[in-house]
């Protein structure tokens, strides 16, 4: 199954820039001025693009300054800075890593650097380290870029401030220098001073180090497998390199950009090969191998690179011009529930996939595999993970393209209605449903099909025969309870029909036939919103169902009667038309 991610109108006969894919500069932004010469250049991510090359020049599309592969990185810091007071053209190249594919060369974007008016600050010496001992007599000297510097002067001597070996040698705009072999077993003193057209610092700190015995350093090695520049390398490759005479070990650094060490960071190996497990697909990896022995590390060993197989994507399909991914779609709920009486509960994954893995996840996030079939039987609540995958054949390798989804499992049951709290209000009955159980419940009145509500309280309910329904959201059943509630107080009619037929045309209190005579001080009549409509006394004809001479609609109304001893009687009745 392939899901289209991005449609490119791609003409393979033209190497051009496409607005859909080519990223814009983020920093500096296109057209920016007064940009520092030590700026880091960064750009947007282009979806589905496995790698980038960045070309810097002083003309549109030109590479007069540099052209560098940065792998999957989206930023680049020029090693020697940028020329001052210059319009810099940045050309980003989308590198698809495929044999026979045309990379996309984006349109150049430009910015202008600052005019440097002050000398640079001092630099930091990286090799040798200050106060280090047993430094190889064959060691090189290297240092960090000093922002705004256009060159460096080196002084090296056998006494503090001395220049017996190198006496203020201008080495130009570089960050390393191979001096004459150092004398063995000697304390040496080194100063590196940067400069530009505005001059140099008055002085910089001097470092010192002591050399070791005269001993030969090992030479550099090179990749045997994969070869430098190889494409479609398996995701778990055997990294192998040529052995070096008199080397006792090798330091490996592997990263996804030229400056990263996110795979291996100066890791020591004594053999000349190693497996690296599960490289990410469709990426370029940069590797530096440095042989070493008791005399020190090999000098000047370069960086090599290779690219992994296409993998699951997203990648550019050269036949369709579309970005595609081979990971299956996975439509699976966040929450799965089962009824308590249905244990074990069987869950089924989507059909027509190559593989399934079900994991139970503990509170610490640890995963335990519980099934590798399409279905899994569950007996307890908790957190789980489903991983599904398709198998893809690429360049003789079978790879899995997985998609995963975390989900929670809860158990449920039909509700138990423990009781109903019914309260009379001026606006109707207020019914509170008391239900218990481990389910997730919702509530309805009078209709088993709803509508259902989250609240267990019903307001403004007319009296009579009513049925309450409590439904488990997880499908474990509906509980119900029917009740009859007549709130009309004895002596007050339940309804009246003011239709002019001289039958029940007025609503009025009627003295009970038996018992003590009830004396009411007042009788007040309200609508369902609590608005006072009429006040009558018990000896009047009663209420005719009008307000300000206008007939009121049929429906429920409320009364409040006050007895002579102060007791209050209230209830509701119905006006019928």
């Amino acid at each position: 199954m392939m899901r289209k991610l991005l449609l490119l109108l791609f003409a393979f006969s033209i190497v051009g820039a496409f607005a859909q894919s080519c990223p814009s500069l983020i920093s500096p932004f296109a057209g920016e001025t007064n940009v520092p010469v030590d700026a880091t250049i960064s750009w947007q991510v282009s979806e589905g693009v496995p790698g980038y090359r960045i070309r810097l020049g002083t003309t549109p599309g030109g590479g007069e300054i540099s052209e560098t592969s940065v792998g999957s990185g989206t930023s680049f810091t020029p090693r020697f800075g940028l020329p001052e007071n210059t319009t810099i053209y940045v050309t980003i190249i989308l590198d698809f890593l495929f044999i026979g594919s045309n990379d996309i060369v984006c349109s150049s974007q430009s910015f202008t650097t600052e005019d440097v008016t002050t000398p640079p600050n001092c630099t930091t010496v990286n090799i040798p380290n200050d106060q280090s001992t047993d430094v190889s007599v064959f060691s090189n000297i290297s240092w960090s870029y000093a922002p705004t510097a256009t060159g460096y002067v080196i002084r090296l001597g056998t006494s503090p401030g001395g220049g017996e070996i190198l006496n203020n040698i201008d080495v130009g705009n570089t960050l390393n220098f191979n001096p004459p072999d150092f004398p063995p077993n000697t304390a040496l003193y080194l100063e590196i001073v940067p400069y530009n057209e505005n001059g140099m610092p008055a002085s910089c700190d001097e470092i010192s180090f002591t050399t070791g015995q005269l001993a030969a350093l090992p030479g550099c090695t090179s990749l045997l497998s994969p070869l430098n520049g190889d494409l479609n390398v398996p995701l778990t490759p055997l990294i192998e390199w040529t052995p070096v005479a008199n080397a006792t070990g090798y330091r490996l650094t592997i990263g996804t950009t030229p400056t990263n060490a996110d795979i291996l960071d100066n890791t020591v190996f004594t053999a000349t090969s190693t497996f690296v497990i599960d490289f990410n697909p469709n990426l370029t990896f940069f590797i530096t191998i440095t042989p070493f022995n008791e005399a020190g590390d090999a000098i000047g060993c370069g960086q090599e690179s290779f690219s992994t197989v296409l993998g699951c994507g997203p990648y550019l399909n050269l036949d369709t011009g579309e970005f595609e991914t081979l990971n299956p779609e996975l439509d699976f709920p966040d929450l799965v529930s089962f009824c308590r009486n249905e244990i074990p509960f069987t869950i089924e994954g989507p059909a027509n996939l190559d593989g399934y893995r079900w994991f139970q996840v503990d509170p610490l996030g640890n995963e335990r595999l519980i099934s590798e079939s399409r279905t899994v039987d569950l007996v307890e609540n908790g957190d789980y993970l489903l991983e599904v995958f398709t198998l893809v054949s690429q360049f003789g390798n079978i790879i899995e393209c997985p998609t995963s989804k975390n989900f929670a499992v809860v158990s449920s049951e039909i509700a138990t209605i423990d009781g109903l709290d019914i309260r009379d209000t001026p606006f109707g009955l207020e019914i509170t449903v008391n239900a218990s159980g481990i389910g997730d419940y919702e509530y309805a009145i009078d209709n088993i099909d709803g509508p259902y509500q989250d609240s267990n309280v019903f307001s403004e309910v007319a009296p009579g025969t009513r049925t309450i329904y409590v439904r488990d959201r997880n499908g474990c059943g509906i509980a119900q309870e029917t009740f009859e509630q007549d709130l009309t107080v004895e002596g007050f009619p339940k309804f009246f029909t003011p239709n002019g037929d001289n039958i029940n045309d007025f609503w009025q209190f009627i003295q009970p036939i038996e018992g003590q005579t009830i004396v009411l001080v007042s009788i007040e009549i309200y609508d369902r919103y609590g608005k006072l409509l009429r006040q009558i006394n018990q000896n009047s004809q009663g209420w005719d169902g009008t307000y300000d001479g206008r007939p009121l609609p049929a429906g429920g109304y409320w009364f409040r009667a006050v007895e002579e001893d102060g007791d209050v009687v209230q209830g509701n009745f119905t006006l019928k038309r």
Side-chain angles (χ1 to χ4, degrees), residues 147-182:
T148 77
T150 58
Y152 301 85
V153 171
I154 295 180
R155 176 182 55 78
L156 178 66
T158 55
S159 61
E164 294 86 356
I165 299 175
L166 299 172
N167 190 12
N168 294 326
I169 300 298
D170 187 343
V171 296
N173 193 17
T174 183
L175 298 179
N176 57 74
F177 179 68
N178 186 8
D181 295 345
F182 298 144

Side-chain angles (χ1 to χ4, degrees), residues 348-361:
E348 186 174 71
N352 302 320
L353 296 176
D354 293 324
Y356 305 82
R357 297 187 185 99
W358 302 86
F359 298 89
Q360 188 172 24
V361 184

Side-chain angles (χ1 to χ4, degrees), residues 235-251:
L235 299 183
T236 301
L238 175 67
I239 308 296
E240 188 174 12
W241 55 95
T242 57
V244 173
N246 76 336
T248 57
Y250 304 85
R251 306 184 199 279

Side-chain angles (χ1 to χ4, degrees), residues 392-474:
V392 180
S393 177
Q394 291 180 347
F395 303 99
N397 299 283
I398 301 296
I399 64 171
E400 290 184 5
C401 291
T403 302
S404 62
K405 177 66 181 290
N406 287 90
F407 63 96
V409 171
V410 298
S411 58
S412 194
E413 65 182 357
I414 190 170
T416 298
I417 298 178
D418 300 316
L420 304 175
D421 293 335
I422 303 173
R423 188 171 69 89
D424 183 16
T425 76
F427 310 108
L429 302 179
E430 181 181 275
I431 303 170
T432 301
V433 184
N434 299 313
S436 61
I438 63 171
D440 182 12
Y441 303 123
E442 55 187 357
Y443 305 83
I445 188 169
D446 292 337
N447 191 337
I448 196 171
D449 296 321
Y452 282 84
Q453 64 183 41
D454 294 335
S455 173
N456 66 330
V457 178
F458 295 93
S459 301
E460 301 181 11
V461 179
T465 301
R466 297 284 182 262
T467 301
I468 297 295
Y469 300 95
V470 182
R471 182 170 69 181
D472 176 49
R473 296 179 193 271
N474 300 311

Side-chain angles (χ1 to χ4, degrees), residues 103-136:
D103 297 329
I104 296 178
V105 181
C106 297
S107 298
S108 296
Q109 303 169 73
S110 66
F111 57 85
T112 302
T113 54
E114 64 184 333
D115 181 14
V116 177
T117 58
T118 58
N121 293 322
C122 292
T123 183
T124 300
V125 178
N126 298 322
I127 300 175
N129 292 322
D130 190 21
Q131 303 299 315
S132 57
T133 58
D134 290 325
V135 174
S136 171

Side-chain angles (χ1 to χ4, degrees), residues 92-107:
I92 297 173
I93 302 168
L94 309 184
D95 190 349
F96 289 102
L97 312 180
F98 312 146
I99 296 175
S101 68
N102 286 322
D103 297 329
I104 296 178
V105 181
C106 297
S107 298

Side-chain angles (χ1 to χ4, degrees), residues 205-432:
D205 290 340
E206 180 181 71
I207 73 161
S208 64
F209 58 94
T210 303
T211 57
Q213 296 286 346
L214 180 62
L217 291 174
C220 292
T221 184
S222 59
L223 283 172
L224 288 175
S225 174
L227 293 173
N228 184 31
D230 265 359
L231 303 175
N232 301 315
V233 173
L235 299 183
T236 301
L238 175 67
I239 308 296
E240 188 174 12
W241 55 95
T242 57
V244 173
N246 76 336
T248 57
Y250 304 85
R251 306 184 199 279
L252 266 65
T253 296
I254 304 177
T256 53
T257 71
T259 56
N260 275 355
D262 47 341
I263 308 298
L264 294 176
D265 187 4
N266 216 29
T267 304
V268 172
F269 294 89
T270 55
T272 57
S273 64
T274 181
F275 276 102
V276 178
I277 306 299
D278 290 340
F279 274 131
N280 287 329
N282 203 20
L283 288 179
T284 296
F285 294 87
F286 299 84
I287 179 168
T288 302
I289 306 174
T290 304
F292 66 88
N293 62 18
E294 65 279 0
D297 292 352
I299 296 173
C301 297
Q303 190 175 70
E304 300 176 275
S305 65
F306 55 86
S307 301
T308 50
V309 296
L310 298 183
C312 303
Y315 67 92
L316 183 66
N317 185 319
L318 298 179
D319 294 327
T320 65
E322 298 168 350
F323 280 109
E324 300 175 344
T325 181
L326 303 180
N327 302 82
E329 293 182 343
L330 179 55
D331 184 12
F332 199 80
D334 296 323
L335 182 68
V336 175
S337 62
F338 63 91
C339 300
R340 175 176 277 181
N341 60 345
E342 296 179 355
I343 294 175
F345 177 62
T346 301
I347 301 178
E348 186 174 71
N352 302 320
L353 296 176
D354 293 324
Y356 305 82
R357 297 187 185 99
W358 302 86
F359 298 89
Q360 188 172 24
V361 184
D362 69 19
L364 298 178
N366 301 310
E367 300 171 358
R368 180 174 66 87
L369 181 66
I370 56 177
S371 175
E372 291 186 88
S373 64
R374 185 184 171 192
T375 61
V376 62
D377 291 334
L378 301 179
V379 297
E380 59 182 320
N381 296 350
D383 294 323
Y384 294 84
L385 180 141
L386 168 61
E387 181 182 76
V388 298
F389 59 87
T390 54
L391 296 176
V392 180
S393 177
Q394 291 180 347
F395 303 99
N397 299 283
I398 301 296
I399 64 171
E400 290 184 5
C401 291
T403 302
S404 62
K405 177 66 181 290
N406 287 90
F407 63 96
V409 171
V410 298
S411 58
S412 194
E413 65 182 357
I414 190 170
T416 298
I417 298 178
D418 300 316
L420 304 175
D421 293 335
I422 303 173
R423 188 171 69 89
D424 183 16
T425 76
F427 310 108
L429 302 179
E430 181 181 275
I431 303 170
T432 301

